[in-house]
Amino acid sequence: MIFRKAVQYIFMLLLLAFLTVFLLLPLFTVVGEGCNWELIAEVFRSPVYVEGLLNSFAVALVTTGIVAVISLALALLYDRYDFFGKEFCPVLMLLPMILPPFVGALGFQQLLGYYGVVNTILTQCGLERIDFLGGSGKFWSICVIEALHLYPIFYLNLITALGNIDPALSDAAANLGASKLQRFFRIRLPLLKSGFLAGGSIVMVWSFTELGTPLMFGYNRVTPVQVFNGLHELDNNPLPYSLVLVMLAVSALIYLVMRKLLSTPGGTAAVKGSMGSRAEKLTGWRRFLPTAAFAVTALLSVLPHLALTGASFSLRWYDTVLPEVFTLEHFDDALSNPLVLPSIVNSLRYSALAMVIAVCCGTMTALISARWHLRGAWVLDLLSMLPLAIPGLVIAFGFLGMTGEYAWARAIFNPVENPLWLLAIAYAVRRIPYVVRAVGAGLEQTPEELENAARNFGAGPLKTLGVITFPLIGANLLVGALFAFSFSMLEVSDSLILAQKSVFFPITKALLELSQILGSGAASASAFGVWAMAFLAVTLISAGILLGRKIGAIFKF
Amino acid sequence: MASVLLENICKSFVPGKPVLDHLFLDVKPGELFFLLGPSGCGKSTLLRILAGLEKQDSGTVKFDGVEISSLPPEKRQAAMMFQNYALWPHLTVFENIAFGLRIRGKKGSVLKDEVMSALEAVQLADCAERRIPSLSGGQQQRVALARALAVRPAVLLLDEPLSNLDARLRDTMRGEIVRICREREQSAIYVTHDRQEALSMADRMAVLQAGKVSQCGTPRQLYELPANRFIGEFLGDINFIDGKITDGKLLTSFGNFPLAGNSGGAVSGAIRPERIKFVSGDCNGAFEAEIIRETFLGDSGEWICRAGETVLAVKEMAPPPRRIGEKVFLAFEPGSLLAMK
């Protein structure tokens, strides 16, 4: 027994070492490189960088605001009522996540461009064209498209939190004379704080550090794009490191402030023994009202993707409401571009490797936290969740800094020679939280007594894992693997920063390059994006069906 | 069948708050031994230590005189019937029972015969291919018992196995467990907080209090001669009578009565309600009392009576009608008033 415990501790130490080298070390590298007071002062002296920070913060604030409104309304409808088509909502909610918003930006431009669909409709109605994407239009477009992409994360967190509120708590308030509104504001809303914190902090940090969408819109006065543009002169000018450090500090501050504002002491105890929520059955025409709300929101969020699909199949879609000439030419063009096929192969290699690493590390972490009861396991759990709170751009920059700073890192992970392991590990580290949460949720739902029973009847630890634990949490393992793989396939920050030679480009970097080719570039990129969209759709819908309502737990910090 | 010896077992989850405190216990081969105690007294922890699912902080566990403290759960030959059954939902009834047998190298027709034999013992032979979630609570309970019995363990551990059943099924299962254990001469340790279960099924039993064995013996010994107030109360209704104790006698406001047992250090007398009889006034040892409350239970009745300053509960089978306020005479059965510490 002592030997087994020792083996378990060795596994934990190995995982801690892995996360120290590939999460903390990149972070410290960024901090080390960027922690130059002169350069940090320079960041705050430069009106361009200050404007970038303010714009990024404004994007984060507005995006989170929009997301909160949409998500709260939909989550309350879902939780409170039984309505027509409710069973399809979990899958519908995943639709907006089909593509990273930076690809959706291509479709958004098709919709709101000066000669896009909306302006064509306006002129057909005898109205003037509006430059939606000019001036502050870009800012609002970025906020809207990011909100339409990110609201499912917030929504799923709220749904999970609502599911944990015992209806008896509200009943007790009603019993003491509280009105519906009083019950909502005094009972349900305070108990939802954990959902707001979990969803809100992820959405805010995500939108604060989002690189792809502003890049696609050419909105350069935001910090992530300024950091990305600074990459080219990194050898002469280390200022981007300081910029990243400032970004990291602001992200941490956002998280801390939200935690301070939304922490609920004793919240867990309040919902102990939860009976789950109780939905009211709507009848007649009313049962279609929530359906309509869900459908309209989903339609709005997939409109950019629909537009992207339209653009990929059309030869001409300019100053018309619908595409005019349909063709498969763009798919041909996309595939014949020398960047595309290798990028697919590259992404498959990076992502498959990332998935294996993330699943191994994530599963082991979940087992250590939920089953092995080792001292100090909380450190591992906390460390494995850290990537959710740290901007991808920071980690990517950290990896880049590591290859410059340490000879061993340069020898193994040189991004110029072959970024396979560098990208696979960078992808994996950021996907470990999803695997930990997915597998952890499975372990929490599976009574430990089932494994104890197997041990009691003579099965060793490995046999128990293979015959009892893994079959029982198979769906969760699969979902964790699917998330790790699909999010790696369309990862932006690491891909744009760490893949430096075209021969090593993954899909996202090839998409960016394609979209910047003058002429048919955008159409080819759209065609390429449609393929990616179909791929992620299959993955996420499978995950949604497998996990149902519990899928929200995956996006919880 | 194996003997079980626990010596000086200590276990605490929070430093300074022992769940088990230098506990000793000796279970004989083939014995159906009950561990009885209130919630939190450490009885389930003790069972898990026996199964190897918890590690004691100190002390030794021996099966048939062989120290097994350092053995992992899978090497202990102690099959447990878990409180919540712990049946594997992804396996059929047959596969659940076959699990332990396969690990012990059984296959083919031998495996099948042993599984079916275990299922027949719990009268579930026709459920072999059913999935666990499709079974009722009672059926799941019996599958859990069959699974534990199928591996023919040296010691069978039962952790409140009947706690989730309705009263009728519980009665049936009590009989089944006793029958199977007797037939197989199976050493079994049964944890419960239900005194009726323990008194009706146990060969011997131990009452746990604050992590220690308060008293160990046959059900009759514990019921009739409880070692202290706690055991007396825990095993059934009991009257405690305060008074002065002199020369083995309890001096009260309504009479003086001889005490059974060692009265040294005793602080009161104790007597079970069914050991107090309604008698006529001229009966030897009779004392007068007034009925202040009556509870009619069909085949029996319970009266609360006041004798002097003392309130006594009295139980009687097939009781005649009596009215509140009626003056009656009561007497203690000889040797039934215990000296209680």
Side-chain angles (χ1 to χ4, degrees):
Chain A
M1 282 168 95
I2 293 169
F3 172 73
R4 280 184 191 160
K5 217 58 181 172
V7 170
Q8 290 175 349
Y9 272 106
I10 289 171
F11 272 118
M12 188 170 86
L13 289 175
L14 284 174
L15 279 171
L16 282 171
F18 177 84
L19 289 171
T20 304
V21 173
F22 296 113
L23 179 65
L24 294 184
L25 192 60
L27 212 58
F28 289 137
T29 309
V30 169
V31 174
E33 293 278 344
C35 196
N36 177 327
W37 297 113
E38 194 56 38
L39 288 175
I40 292 174
E42 179 63 30
V43 167
F44 288 104
R45 269 199 298 267
S46 160
V48 176
Y49 291 137
V50 171
E51 189 190 346
L53 278 168
L54 290 175
N55 283 341
S56 295
F57 190 69
V59 166
L61 217 55
V62 173
T63 304
T64 311
I66 299 172
V67 163
V69 171
I70 298 173
S71 310
L72 184 61
L74 293 181
L76 288 174
L77 285 174
Y78 184 87
D79 186 69
R80 198 166 164 71
Y81 301 110
D82 267 341
F83 51 88
F84 177 77
K86 184 176 181 177
E87 61 274 24
F88 298 111
C89 287
V91 173
L92 203 63
M93 273 299 113
L94 294 172
L95 276 179
M97 299 177 74
I98 281 173
L99 273 186
F102 96 108
V103 179
L106 282 172
F108 209 72
Q109 285 167 348
Q110 188 70 54
L111 289 173
L112 290 181
Y114 199 71
Y115 293 99
V117 176
V118 176
N119 269 323
T120 306
I121 294 171
L122 286 178
T123 52
Q124 283 175 359
C125 296
L127 299 167
E128 287 289 310
R129 286 180 195 278
I130 299 171
D131 189 5
F132 290 110
L133 304 180
S136 64
K138 279 183 185 172
F139 171 84
W140 290 104
S141 302
I142 290 167
C143 294
V144 169
I145 198 162
E146 284 185 17
L148 289 175
H149 172 66
L150 293 175
Y151 79 87
I153 293 177
F154 205 117
Y155 165 86
L156 291 168
N157 271 291
L158 288 182
I159 281 291
T160 310
L162 278 167
N164 285 333
I165 299 176
D166 190 338
L169 300 177
S170 201
D171 290 349
N175 179 251
L176 294 173
S179 69
K180 274 188 177 181
L181 269 182
Q182 283 172 323
R183 275 168 3 227
F184 176 71
F185 284 107
R186 301 288 299 278
I187 308 293
R188 285 162 72 82
L189 206 56
L191 288 172
L192 274 180
K193 277 181 178 179
S194 62
F196 273 97
L197 173 66
S201 51
I202 292 179
V203 168
M204 200 151 179
V205 170
W206 193 318
S207 48
F208 177 67
T209 58
E210 168 70 18
L211 168 64
T213 315
L215 200 62
M216 279 301 209
F217 275 105
Y219 189 61
N220 296 328
R221 291 287 174 95
V222 284
T223 310
V225 178
Q226 289 170 336
V227 169
F228 180 69
N229 290 336
L231 263 179
H232 308 295
E233 47 193 57
L234 203 57
D235 289 339
N236 309 320
N237 180 11
L239 193 122
Y241 278 113
S242 301
L243 210 46
V244 169
L245 184 64
V246 171
M247 212 164 72
L248 179 65
V250 175
S251 298
L253 201 66
I254 287 173
Y255 185 75
L256 288 174
V257 168
M258 289 197 75
R259 200 178 171 85
K260 180 81 185 159
L261 290 176
L262 297 174
S263 62
T264 47
T268 316
V271 297
K272 200 173 177 188
S274 163
M275 292 159 56
S277 59
R278 220 164 27 207
E280 179 187 331
K281 197 170 178 66
L282 292 176
T283 52
W285 58 273
R286 286 172 195 272
R287 70 198 173 106
F288 295 104
L289 286 180
T291 318
F294 272 89
V296 168
T297 315
L299 183 67
L300 278 176
S301 59
V302 298
L303 259 183
H305 306 133
L306 289 178
L308 180 85
T309 311
S312 71
F313 283 104
S314 90
L315 206 53
R316 185 178 184 281
W317 193 5
Y318 179 79
D319 210 9
T320 55
V321 176
L322 292 171
E324 285 191 326
V325 185
F326 288 94
T327 178
L328 293 173
E329 200 178 291
H330 303 313
F331 288 91
D332 271 349
D333 286 349
L335 289 177
S336 62
N337 188 296
L339 281 179
V340 170
L341 280 178
S343 76
I344 295 172
V345 175
N346 286 337
S347 273
L348 283 171
R349 287 172 64 217
Y350 303 150
S351 305
L353 195 55
M355 180 185 74
V356 172
I357 297 169
V359 167
C360 289
C361 294
T363 306
M364 196 61 80
T365 304
L367 279 171
I368 288 170
S369 301
R371 287 292 189 264
W372 292 357
H373 313 294
L374 303 183
R375 282 184 190 178
W378 63 273
V379 178
L380 181 64
D381 191 54
L382 187 72
L383 209 55
S384 66
M385 285 293 115
L386 206 57
L388 279 184
I390 297 175
L393 199 60
V394 174
I395 298 180
F397 240 75
F399 273 99
L400 197 65
M402 260 171 70
T403 58
E405 181 89 10
Y406 307 106
W408 62 268
R410 200 162 38 251
I412 307 170
F413 302 120
N414 192 334
V416 180
E417 283 174 18
N418 188 349
L420 172 67
W421 282 98
L422 183 64
L423 274 170
I425 291 175
Y427 287 172
V429 165
R430 292 190 53 216
R431 269 81 211 158
I432 285 175
Y434 302 120
V435 182
V436 174
R437 281 293 176 255
V439 177
L443 289 173
E444 276 171 25
Q445 290 152 17
T446 308
E448 200 174 347
E449 291 294 56
L450 297 178
E451 291 150 67
N452 286 338
R455 300 288 304 280
N456 182 245
F457 285 98
L462 281 178
K463 186 161 181 92
T464 304
L465 267 184
V467 182
I468 304 296
T469 315
F470 286 153
L472 285 172
I473 61 162
N476 299 72
L477 265 175
L478 183 63
V479 168
L482 283 174
F483 270 105
F485 184 70
S486 55
F487 285 160
S488 296
M489 285 291 281
L490 294 169
E491 207 280 344
V492 179
S493 304
D494 294 321
S495 305
L496 297 192
I497 289 171
L498 297 176
Q500 296 178 359
K501 268 185 172 174
S502 62
V503 68
F504 300 125
F505 281 179
I507 288 174
T508 39
K509 188 136 187 182
L511 260 169
L512 180 68
E513 294 285 322
L514 267 184
S515 71
Q516 287 172 345
I517 297 172
L518 287 176
S520 64
S524 303
S526 300
F528 193 14
V530 168
W531 178 87
M533 188 163 69
F535 172 79
L536 250 193
V538 172
T539 313
L540 290 178
I541 288 169
S542 323
I545 291 167
L546 282 170
L547 274 193
R549 184 172 176 140
K550 294 176 187 73
I551 201 164
I554 285 177
F555 297 96
K556 228 171 169 176
F557 182 72
Chain B
M1 59 177 180
S3 65
V4 178
L5 182 63
L6 294 159
E7 291 177 317
N8 210 18
I9 298 289
C10 293
K11 175 75 185 175
S12 54
F13 295 104
V14 179
K17 292 187 177 172
V19 177
L20 297 174
D21 190 7
H22 301 283
L23 181 138
F24 287 82
L25 205 63
D26 180 11
V27 178
K28 296 183 176 67
E31 193 170 49
L32 180 51
F33 190 91
F34 270 65
L35 286 171
L36 185 69
S39 298
C41 72
K43 52 192 191 300
S44 286
T45 304
L46 186 61
L47 213 59
R48 292 175 72 82
I49 286 174
L50 280 165
L53 299 171
E54 294 286 353
K55 177 97 176 83
Q56 68 272 27
D57 298 335
S58 63
T60 55
V61 180
K62 290 179 181 169
F63 283 4
D64 273 340
V66 179
E67 159 97 54
I68 56 151
S69 301
S70 57
L71 286 183
E74 62 270 24
K75 306 275 187 207
R76 291 200 174 196
Q77 299 295 319
M80 186 153 163
M81 186 178 169
F82 291 78
Q83 188 176 4
N84 58 359
Y85 322 142
L87 295 171
W88 302 300
H90 62 303
L91 304 179
T92 61
V93 168
F94 184 95
E95 288 301 324
N96 262 275
I97 296 169
F99 184 91
L101 292 169
R102 282 210 175 92
I103 286 170
R104 284 157 180 78
K106 302 279 167 63
K107 25 179 126 152
S109 59
V110 175
L111 174 83
K112 193 174 174 192
D113 289 348
E114 292 199 14
V115 171
M116 293 315 294
S117 153
L119 278 173
E120 276 159 17
V122 296
Q123 296 160 18
L124 279 179
D126 54 342
C127 293
E129 292 312 315
R130 285 177 64 179
R131 312 290 299 185
I132 298 301
S134 73
L135 301 177
S136 69
Q139 287 171 321
Q140 290 190 21
Q141 189 104 45
R142 282 184 277 163
V143 174
L145 179 61
R147 184 177 66 176
L149 288 169
V151 295
R152 301 208 170 250
V155 181
L156 178 65
L157 306 172
L158 303 123
D159 188 3
E160 305 206 22
L162 308 183
S163 57
N164 297 328
L165 297 186
D166 63 60
R168 202 171 153 200
L169 196 53
R170 199 160 52 228
D171 285 343
T172 312
M173 285 299 292
R174 279 178 188 168
E176 286 296 293
I177 290 173
V178 171
R179 177 182 65 79
I180 292 167
C181 287
R182 296 260 191 282
E183 275 176 16
R184 296 186 171 202
E185 295 184 329
Q186 175 69 61
S187 304
I189 299 177
Y190 191 122
V191 156
T192 185
H193 61 261
D194 183 333
R195 66 189 183 208
Q196 298 293 353
E197 212 161 273
L199 291 171
S200 64
M201 296 171 71
D203 290 329
R204 282 197 311 138
M205 59 196 274
V207 177
L208 260 61
Q209 185 187 5
K212 287 185 185 223
V213 173
S214 274
Q215 192 177 1
C216 181
T218 63
R220 186 171 286 276
Q221 280 169 345
L222 266 67
Y223 185 77
E224 293 187 347
L225 294 168
N228 56 39
R229 279 180 88 108
F230 169 77
I231 298 171
E233 282 182 311
F234 195 75
L235 291 180
D237 295 337
I238 193 163
N239 295 293
F240 293 104
I241 306 169
D242 293 329
K244 193 175 173 188
I245 296 171
T246 313
D247 297 333
K249 279 194 170 180
L250 179 68
L251 315 180
T252 70
S253 58
F254 55 95
N256 302 334
F257 306 95
L259 283 167
N262 180 8
S263 60
V267 293
S268 64
I271 185 164
R272 300 274 179 205
E274 68 272 17
R275 298 291 189 163
I276 306 176
K277 302 292 177 197
F278 288 97
V279 293
S280 58
D282 55 358
C283 180
N284 188 24
F287 57 90
E288 194 182 35
E290 179 191 351
I291 293 176
I292 55 176
R293 200 163 73 232
E294 178 192 36
T295 308
F296 179 63
L297 299 167
D299 60 344
S300 62
E302 185 177 293
W303 287 268
I304 306 297
C305 306
R306 190 192 307 278
E309 297 301 310
T310 305
V311 174
L312 296 168
V314 183
K315 271 187 193 163
E316 190 181 39
M317 294 300 288
R322 293 191 177 92
R323 37 185 190 78
I324 308 289
E326 186 180 335
K327 302 282 184 192
V328 293
F329 286 95
L330 302 172
F332 300 145
E333 275 185 16
S336 58
L337 182 63
L338 307 171
M340 193 59 59
K341 289 171 187 158

